[in-house]
């Protein structure tokens, strides 16, 4: 019975009991080590939550599997793209160092949990996902640290600054900080460059500093790239990438910005957010394939 501890947490954070119970589940529940409906809370993290009276990523404080991160550096295995998709259960993974499947390693390391399963003839299929917010944040922070060559404290400071920028509706400073973030990614770390690469980096930042967002949000008229909301503001991002082969880069950049804005307006990207947020803006962004940096951006309504 944790009633007394939950009451203390409610009082400390000035939040109601129902919200706190849901938040504890979102942060620390979801661990599953067998094909059963029951999920487990992380007892260490819950104990530290009640001791410190604040929600925090306690799982990351126990260390990170360096081998998994090094494997991702040498051979990115597209973990995000493979989440919540049916795959055959690997009951006896073969840990051949030359042919390792990062999903198997991530599952064994505790980054992933089985969220659903089904029998297909004689074979079992499963879906994997991060068990909870704590572990999802740990993975995203490890990957951003790997990509950006900055330490964890620098990234956390950046995330806090970005959050303040949005809460203050200071889009100019927010975008300047985004430009700074992308400029810090070493050329050799970026790997294959697509619009998806820039989208995933931006989405990961939003996930880490707690802004509700969806990557490639499906709307009734068209798919958008990223939509993010704070209590005061909603931002809808449309991303374009300028090809390295472009000869007149300035004109091509201007064309892509115009195309992104027209696409957003014609497809009414921001309409659905007007009833939910006080301030709603669209942001067109152009990335340069050659420099792997933000080339230009423009706000639209």
């Amino acid at each position: 019975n944790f009633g007394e501890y939950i009451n203390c947490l409610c009082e400390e954070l000035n939040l109601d009991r129902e919200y706190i119970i849901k938040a504890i589940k979102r942060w620390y529940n979801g661990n599953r080590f067998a094909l059963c409906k029951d999920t487990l809370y992380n007892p260490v993290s819950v104990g530290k939550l009640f001791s410190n009276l604040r929600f925090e990523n306690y799982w990351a404080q126990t260390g990170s599997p360096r081998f998994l991160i090094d494997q991702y550096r040498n051979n990115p295995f597209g973990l995000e793209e493979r989440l919540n998709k049916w795959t055959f259960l690997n009951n006896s993974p073969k840990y051949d160092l030359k042919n390792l499947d990062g999903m198997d390693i991530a599952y064994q390391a505790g980054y992933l949990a089985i969220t659903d399963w089904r029998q297909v003839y004689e074979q079992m299929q499963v879906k994997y996902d991060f068990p909870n917010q704590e572990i999802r944040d740990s993975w995203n922070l490890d990957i951003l640290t790997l990509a950006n060559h900055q330490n964890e404290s620098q990234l956390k400071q950046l995330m806090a600054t970005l959050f303040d920028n949005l809460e203050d509706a200071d889009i100019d400073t927010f975008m300047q900080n985004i430009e700074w973030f992308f400029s810090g990614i070493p050329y050799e770390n970026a790997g294959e460059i697509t619009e998806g690469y820039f989208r995933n980096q931006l989405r990961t930042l939003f996930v880490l500093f707690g802004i509700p967002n969806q990557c490639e949000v499906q709307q009734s008229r068209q798919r958008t790239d990223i939509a993010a909301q704070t209590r005061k503001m909603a931002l809808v991002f449309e991303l374009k990438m300028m090809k390295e082969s472009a000869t007149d880069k300035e004109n091509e950049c201007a064309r892509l910005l115009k195309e992104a804005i027209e696409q957003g307006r014609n497809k009414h990207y921001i309409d659905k957010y007007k009833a939910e947020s006080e301030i709603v803006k669209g942001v067109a962004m152009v990335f340069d394939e050659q420099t792997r940096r933000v080339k230009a951006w423009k706000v639209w309504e």
Side-chain angles (χ1 to χ4, degrees):
N1 186 355
F2 296 104
E4 181 180 346
Y5 296 100
I6 292 175
N7 290 338
C8 290
L9 197 56
C10 292
E11 183 177 349
E12 176 69 19
L13 300 181
N14 194 27
L15 295 169
D16 64 67
R17 184 182 181 86
E18 181 180 0
Y19 181 93
I20 288 292
I21 291 175
K22 290 181 179 179
I24 295 173
K25 184 175 182 178
R26 184 177 71 251
W27 270 86
Y28 306 118
N29 190 241
N31 297 285
R32 179 186 282 115
F33 305 103
L35 300 182
C36 62
K37 294 182 179 180
D38 294 331
T39 56
L40 304 175
Y41 286 85
N42 183 329
V44 175
S45 296
V46 173
K48 290 186 175 182
L49 167 69
F50 290 146
S51 176
N52 298 333
L53 296 180
R54 65 175 181 270
F55 288 94
E56 193 172 321
N57 187 345
Y58 299 110
W59 193 77
Q61 296 173 12
T62 63
S64 61
R66 194 71 254 162
F67 180 79
L68 176 61
I69 301 303
D70 289 341
Q71 174 72 10
Y72 189 89
R73 180 201 300 273
N74 297 327
N75 183 27
F77 45 85
L79 183 145
E80 290 279 358
E81 291 77 15
R82 296 168 67 183
L83 296 178
N84 289 310
K85 294 182 179 179
W86 290 112
T87 184
F88 285 104
L89 177 64
N90 191 354
N91 288 314
S92 56
K94 297 179 180 179
Y95 294 117
D96 179 358
L97 292 179
K98 294 182 179 179
N99 298 291
L100 286 173
D101 186 349
M103 292 290 284
D104 288 333
I105 305 172
Y107 175 62
Q108 295 296 329
Y111 271 111
L112 299 179
I114 295 174
T115 58
D116 199 1
W117 57 92
R118 66 184 182 187
Q119 190 77 34
V120 181
Y121 297 103
E122 293 84 11
Q123 299 293 323
M124 181 65 69
Q125 290 185 351
V126 297
K127 290 182 179 181
Y128 294 106
D129 198 0
F130 297 109
N132 50 51
Q133 182 172 335
E134 179 182 44
I135 295 178
R136 182 184 294 272
D137 285 359
S138 295
W139 171 260
N140 287 328
L141 188 59
D142 281 340
I143 295 305
L144 277 188
T145 303
L146 167 66
N148 201 257
H149 271 202
Q150 296 185 28
N151 61 43
E152 183 176 325
S153 62
Q154 288 175 311
L155 282 173
K156 286 184 175 180
Q157 183 176 357
L158 171 64
M159 289 183 282
T161 301
L162 288 171
F163 187 84
D164 288 341
N165 294 157
L166 287 184
E167 285 292 278
D168 295 337
D170 187 354
I171 300 179
D172 288 342
T173 305
F174 174 83
M175 292 305 299
Q176 290 169 13
N177 284 318
I178 290 293
E179 288 179 328
W180 176 84
F181 167 75
F182 280 103
S183 70
I185 299 178
Y187 187 88
E188 64 273 12
N189 276 21
E192 181 183 0
I193 294 301
T194 63
E195 286 182 15
Y197 161 78
F198 296 108
R199 180 178 63 245
N200 287 337
Q201 293 291 317
L202 195 60
R203 179 202 58 80
T204 301
L205 267 181
F206 288 170
V207 168
L208 279 172
F209 62 74
I211 290 184
N213 78 93
Q214 290 178 291
C215 190
E216 294 188 346
V217 175
Q218 296 288 341
Q219 297 212 46
S220 58
R221 298 182 179 88
Q222 182 73 16
R223 187 183 71 182
T224 64
D225 278 332
I226 299 175
Q229 286 181 281
T230 66
R231 292 185 294 269
K232 295 183 180 179
M233 173 180 286
L235 295 178
V236 181
F237 292 83
E238 177 59 28
L239 277 56
K240 300 292 181 182
M241 186 176 72
M242 183 172 64
K243 295 292 186 180
E244 185 174 355
S245 58
T247 54
D248 189 339
K249 293 190 178 297
E250 294 304 318
N251 283 337
E252 177 64 5
C253 180
R255 184 190 70 80
L256 289 172
L257 279 177
K258 182 179 179 181
E259 179 183 305
I261 293 172
E262 288 179 350
Q263 180 176 332
R265 286 175 173 161
N266 292 339
K267 301 299 181 180
H268 305 277
Y269 281 172
I270 67 176
D271 286 2
K272 66 172 290 186
Y273 300 97
K274 290 181 177 178
E276 302 171 1
S277 298
E278 181 180 343
I279 303 171
V280 182
K281 303 283 186 181
V283 181
M285 298 179 67
V286 175
F287 292 91
D288 190 327
E289 181 184 29
Q290 182 177 16
T291 64
R292 310 187 180 200
R293 304 289 184 263
V294 179
K295 176 67 175 178
W297 56 272
K298 190 172 183 179
V299 177
W300 56 274
E301 299 183 32

